[in-house]
Amino acid sequence: MRRAWPDTMKIVPSDITPYEKYLSRRTLLAGGLGLAAAAGLSGLTRTAQAQTATGAALTYTHNAEYSVTDPPNSFKDISTYNNYYEFGTDKSDPSENAQKFQTRPWTVVIGGECEAPGTLALDDLLKPHPLEERIYRMRCVEAWSMIVPWVGFPLADLIKRFKPTSKAKYVEFKTLMDPKQMPGERGSVLDWPYTEGLRMDEAMNPLAFMTVGLYGKVLPNQNGAPLRLITPWKYGFKGIKAIVSLRFVERMPVTTWAKSAPSEYGFYANVNPAVDHPRWSQATERHIGSSLFDQRRPTLPFNGYANQVASLYTGMDLKTYF
Ligand code: MTE
């Protein structure tokens, strides 16, 4: 059954900014020729944005190795244009409806094929993991993109702690099931609780990030507090929010979107400009935010992270395994 994503992705040729033009515009800005425009962007510095972020401040180091240098989207863009069906299906619903969501106490259950399963209070789960900031390029299957300064720690660090066995081929993640707090879960727009999965080598890739903050502060509820996943080479829907369980499993988990519409959303969900979504092209994307960049530009394979992740899929037909 088709549901959920609005069918607004009709692209006409005039929408498309050729990539060379996009790059040359960036070069012009960097060279100071677009000063007025650049002034608009530099006003959106990370420091200023961090001040408008509302959560408690976090202590972290910036990880330049895993960060892009593009200017991040504003805190406002990132925290008011959201997908979080537990709080409604419109982009503005999560920021309006998630404000009272309780993120403490919070427990995460880790189990399945591992030597050291456990049930941990979130703060104990976080303790051994120093936090870092990574500015990631994000890409939604609906063909829009943003640049987001997340704060978190590598998923691999957490996984190693629980000692998965050789039977662990995938990790399955689940979101809290609490229809009292999450009004969307009282309806059947999706099969609850929201479920996601990664193959073990994907989960161990250094880019896979457990996220607890944004712009240096604790995650806003609408962005997935208190704990969410970010896999920047995949579509945003893999970034499951409000995680309460991780389970190491032998068989590929049935993920929420794949269950909802298997012909539209595959398990791998790798950003692939060469494979159209059944209802829209994936070849280009619209960058949300500053009007300067809020234009279509070509989608990059693996969202620009091919060097780090393409080898995970060697030998796989990515049209079949989408
Ligand atoms: N996680 C849960 N639990 N429920 C959801 O509806 N939506 C996904 C993902 N994680 C979703 C979720 C989708 S479709 C996207 S694009 C991203 O969250 C959006 O993350 P953002 O709102 O922080 O940009």
Side-chain angles (χ1 to χ4, degrees), residues 5 82-86 175 194 223 228 236-237 239-241:
W5 306 112
N82 300 105
N83 275 332
Y84 199 172
Y85 277 35
E86 286 86 338
T175 293
Y194 198 96
N223 290 96
R228 75 172 290 181
F237 68 83
I240 180 171
K241 301 179 173 181

Side-chain angles (χ1 to χ4, degrees), residues 37-272:
L41 273 181
S42 66
L44 296 177
T45 59
R46 279 199 284 147
T47 318
Q49 287 298 332
Q51 280 159 8
T52 61
T54 43
L58 295 166
T59 305
Y60 58 91
T61 50
H62 177 71
N63 186 328
E65 187 185 352
Y66 290 113
S67 290
V68 295
T69 51
D70 313 47
N73 277 82
S74 68
F75 179 74
K76 185 161 180 264
D77 286 343
I78 300 167
S79 63
T80 59
Y81 192 85
N82 300 105
N83 275 332
Y84 199 172
Y85 277 35
E86 286 86 338
F87 292 102
T89 54
D90 285 346
K91 299 282 178 267
S92 57
D93 285 344
S95 59
E96 287 166 16
N97 301 335
Q99 294 313 319
K100 293 193 181 142
F101 181 59
Q102 294 299 314
T103 57
R104 290 294 191 285
W106 193 270
T107 308
V108 183
V109 181
I110 290 107
E113 304 291 349
C114 62
E115 286 170 24
T119 299
L120 279 93
L122 181 73
D123 298 315
D124 293 329
L125 183 85
L126 299 183
K127 253 180 217 154
H129 306 294
L131 296 180
E132 49 184 87
E133 177 191 64
R134 297 176 174 201
I135 304 179
Y136 274 165
R137 212 179 270 125
M138 307 300 298
R139 172 65 158 71
C140 183
V141 71
E142 294 164 292
W144 47 265
S145 64
M146 287 200 211
I147 308 287
V148 185
W150 299 112
V151 179
F153 56 91
L155 172 59
D157 288 0
L158 184 149
I159 288 180
K160 282 181 209 150
R161 241 175 105 184
F162 297 93
K163 302 193 169 68
T165 66
S166 59
K167 279 191 171 169
K169 305 281 189 261
Y170 299 88
V171 196
E172 179 189 72
F173 304 82
K174 284 192 190 291
T175 293
L176 178 70
M177 183 73 192
D178 185 354
K180 278 201 185 118
Q181 288 205 78
M182 296 173 134
E185 291 182 340
R186 290 175 223 150
S188 54
V189 62
L190 290 175
D191 190 52
W192 310 111
Y194 198 96
T195 303
E196 256 311 333
L198 293 173
R199 211 173 57 195
M200 198 55 108
D201 56 348
E202 298 180 310
M204 296 303 285
N205 185 280
L207 284 172
F209 204 47
M210 290 307 269
T211 306
V212 296
L214 163 60
Y215 266 120
K217 308 226 170 126
V218 165
L219 275 181
N221 290 344
Q222 59 270 31
N223 290 96
L227 183 70
R228 75 172 290 181
L229 173 69
I230 299 288
T231 46
W233 71 99
K234 293 176 179 285
Y235 291 108
F237 68 83
K238 296 297 276 188
I240 180 171
K241 301 179 173 181
I243 295 170
V244 291
S245 88
L246 274 86
R247 205 173 159 71
F248 301 104
V249 293
E250 205 169 356
R251 302 180 62 149
M252 182 185 278
V254 180
T255 60
T256 293
W257 286 104
K259 191 165 186 183
S260 159
S263 62
E264 302 197 17
Y265 312 107
F267 174 83
Y268 286 97
N270 288 324
V271 173
N272 192 340

Side-chain angles (χ1 to χ4, degrees), residues 22-39:
Y22 161 74
L23 287 177
S24 65
R25 186 183 300 118
R26 302 288 313 280
T27 313
L28 279 182
L29 282 176
L33 286 170
L35 274 185

